[in-house]
Amino acid sequence: MPLTPRAPARPDPAASHRAIENLIARYAELVDGGDFAGLGALLAGATFTGSGSPVSGADAIEEMFRRTLIVYGDGTPRTKHVTTNVIIELDEDTAAARSYVTVYQALPELPLQPIAVGRYHDRFACDGTSWRFTERRVHIDLVGDVSRHLRAAAG
């Protein structure tokens, strides 16, 4: 009896939603922890677009974050990225997500405050077993005092 190839298993929708939510949360955790190498690894197969030109590849993304963000003595940018209103649209082995982000910052001379509010537009792909970012576009809608967060603003 000849063997017939099996169709690859489709990702489970509930598990896919959770995996994608975890990727979105992991991004926030890595930024707030100052782990720019981890960000590069997380986004290695993605194109990242923020306020500048699109950046692709682990090394380029890591370098972009190192060049852009101010890091303090504890090794972090002293921020917390809070992601809400997550909408995920699945299409078998690809997905799109939209979410809101609020960035808070506090320093000894800066009381806790929101410094930026915006949206993430993300795309993901699944290889059959795991999801990964393929694109992250950041749209900042409201800006507060980012002079202690962005090197260009501190200039």
Side-chain angles (χ1 to χ4, degrees), residues 46-57 60-61 64 135-137:
T47 298
F48 180 92
T49 307
S51 60
S53 298
V55 180
S56 299
I61 289 171
M64 184 271 306
E135 181 180 24
R136 168 152 274 194
R137 288 181 289 138

Side-chain angles (χ1 to χ4, degrees), residues 36-37 39-41 43-48 53-68:
F36 303 141
L39 277 169
L43 299 170
T47 298
F48 180 92
S53 298
V55 180
S56 299
D59 292 341
I61 289 171
E62 175 184 353
E63 178 58 27
M64 184 271 306
F65 276 96
R66 289 190 189 286
R67 265 192 344 264
T68 304

